[in-house]
Amino acid sequence: MINSIGILKKLIFVALPIFIIHVMLFNANLITGKGANFYYSIPLLYGLFFMLSAAILIIVTKISEKNFDNTGMVFMIATSIKMVVAYFLVRPILLIEDNKIEKINFFIIFILFLLIETILVAKILNKK
């Protein structure tokens, strides 16, 4: 049996330190004042992607307990839905001129959570 709480703890354990470092970079003098005029704040993006990743991981763990053969397909469908949501979130950012840092910031956060999800689901798939 795969524990959903254990998977969420791993997600928090990886995402929280990266979030703290990310916020510290924007609050330090390394990237001066660039985060102040973002369309979406950094904590909001981390919160949204954390919630989406947590939902995907919980769904995948529940499916793997009931019907392990469909685990990979459910992960792919859930990730595709997450990508559609991310596209609608990034649309306003793409329309704004001269915000290269915000576009890179959004992409990095999206890829970070996608990478974490993929690694955790790969561990779920390798346990059976």
Side-chain angles (χ1 to χ4, degrees):
M1 286 279 170
I2 300 166
N3 189 359
S4 297
I5 303 297
I7 295 291
L8 292 178
K9 285 181 185 178
K10 289 178 185 177
L11 178 65
I12 292 170
F13 180 72
V14 174
L16 188 61
I18 296 171
F19 167 71
I20 292 169
I21 292 169
H22 197 159
V23 170
M24 287 175 55
L25 283 174
F26 276 91
N27 288 339
N29 290 332
L30 299 174
I31 306 173
T32 312
K34 298 290 183 182
N37 57 359
F38 279 179
Y39 192 83
Y40 300 114
S41 67
I42 294 171
L44 177 67
L45 285 176
Y46 271 90
L48 287 172
F49 283 116
F50 178 82
M51 297 294 275
L52 289 171
S53 294
I56 289 172
L57 290 171
I58 289 171
I59 290 169
V60 167
T61 55
K62 295 299 180 190
I63 293 298
S64 70
E65 291 171 358
K66 293 182 191 247
N67 189 1
F68 185 75
D69 294 335
N70 293 332
T71 303
M73 188 60 69
V74 168
F75 173 68
M76 290 176 59
I77 292 169
T79 302
S80 298
I81 292 169
K82 178 184 172 183
M83 289 174 68
V84 170
V85 170
Y87 171 73
F88 284 111
L89 287 174
V90 80
R91 276 184 62 195
I93 297 171
L94 295 175
L95 298 175
I96 300 171
E97 296 293 324
D98 298 329
N99 64 345
K100 186 176 182 179
I101 293 176
E102 186 173 9
K103 291 175 188 176
I104 293 170
N105 185 49
F106 188 92
F107 180 72
I108 288 172
I109 295 171
F110 175 76
I111 293 299
L112 168 76
F113 279 98
L114 183 63
L115 179 67
I116 294 169
E117 287 171 22
T118 304
I119 291 170
L120 292 175
V121 170
K123 287 184 179 183
I124 291 171
L125 289 171
N126 284 334
K127 285 187 179 180
K128 293 285 176 164

